[in-house]
Amino acid sequence: MTSHEAAIYREIQRNTDMAMKTIDTISNKVYDDDLALQISKQSIRYSELHNEACKQLMEAKAQRYQGNLLSDAMLKTGIHYNTLLNTSTGRLAELMIKENNNGILEMEKVLKHNENAGKQSVALAEQLIDFEKNSIACLKEYL
């Protein structure tokens, strides 16, 4: 595995990890059953993509992404702050859309900086980007 491929897999790990933590934090605030089901399905798909990236890195004995407590705390604090006075379905969907947009942007930056990566890592990254775009389209119904 090249360093370019490892960088892409680590970004997939980071991206999906942040998405799952966002969903975990928001899910306690969701009162709309349809939205709750939608984000639960998203969490499952993020988990699948995360596990595939981990598997590839482990097979190559490459360093995996390691999150840190400070960034996790900042993410959760930001979500709690942004939902302090408004936990409406539309507000929660908006926060999820912003996180998905952020994920797409970061993944595309990593792909651009690692153009020499193999097809398998790029394909998994593109699956993640497509999934996040589809998630945004689904979440827009709740705005």
Side-chain angles (χ1 to χ4, degrees), residues 85-129:
L85 300 175
N86 184 358
T87 59
S88 68
T89 299
R91 179 67 176 152
L92 298 175
E94 179 185 347
L95 291 174
M96 289 292 299
I97 289 169
K98 286 180 180 179
E99 284 298 318
N100 284 330
N101 274 329
N102 225 11
I104 291 168
L105 179 65
E106 293 301 318
M107 193 73 249
E108 287 179 346
K109 279 200 271 186
V110 169
L111 284 173
K112 182 79 172 167
H113 287 75
N114 295 284
E115 292 175 339
N116 296 329
K119 291 180 182 179
Q120 189 174 2
S121 60
V122 171
L124 189 62
E126 288 173 350
Q127 282 180 38
L128 175 58
I129 290 169

Side-chain angles (χ1 to χ4, degrees), residues 25-86:
T25 306
I26 284 180
S27 64
N28 295 332
K29 301 173 184 287
V30 175
Y31 298 104
D32 183 285
D33 291 338
D34 291 335
L35 180 59
L37 179 62
Q38 177 66 33
I39 65 173
S40 292
K41 288 178 182 178
Q42 287 181 15
S43 184
I44 291 168
R45 182 64 181 139
Y46 280 122
S47 178
E48 292 169 353
L49 292 164
H50 183 270
N51 291 342
E52 180 60 28
C54 287
K55 178 183 157 202
Q56 295 299 325
L57 287 167
M58 287 173 57
E59 285 177 0
K61 295 180 176 27
Q63 182 180 2
R64 294 176 36 206
Y65 165 75
Q66 295 295 323
N68 66 51
L69 295 176
L70 181 60
S71 65
D72 292 350
M74 287 176 55
L75 172 70
K76 290 179 182 186
T77 301
I79 291 170
H80 290 306
Y81 176 78
N82 284 304
T83 58
L84 192 61
L85 300 175
N86 184 358

